[in-house]
Amino acid sequence: HYPLRRQRQMCIRDRIKEIGMPMMLLLNKIDLSERKGYQVDPRALSQQLDDIPVLETAALKGKGLRALKEAMIHFHKNQEARPHEVLP
């Protein structure tokens, strides 16, 4: 089941990249993951995803929200003006 889900996710990522939309991966509830002993290396994950920025947050606790806001502002400022595009 996992390989099929990953394959679909990679296909979506490739389609988004194809049309030139900026993207980032947001890992929310990182506090719960850490409490359960899971560790994620955002830099390594970003490299595995062709340098898509990876951000960690715990939204209810406010952790990582400043970095998320800054990343969104950066993406918005660097976005080329283009008509709205929708994935088929």
Side-chain angles (χ1 to χ4, degrees), residues 63-80:
K63 179 181 178 186
L65 297 182
R66 179 175 289 141
L68 174 59
K69 182 179 177 180
E70 290 170 6
M72 292 173 70
I73 289 169
H74 173 78
F75 275 135
H76 180 72
K77 286 181 178 179
N78 293 305
Q79 178 70 18
E80 294 177 17

Side-chain angles (χ1 to χ4, degrees), residues 3 15-16 20-21 27 33 36 40 49 54 76-77 85:
R15 291 287 294 141
I16 291 171
M21 291 178 66
L27 303 175
S33 297
K36 290 183 178 186
V40 177
L49 297 171
V54 176
H76 180 72
K77 286 181 178 179
E85 299 177 75

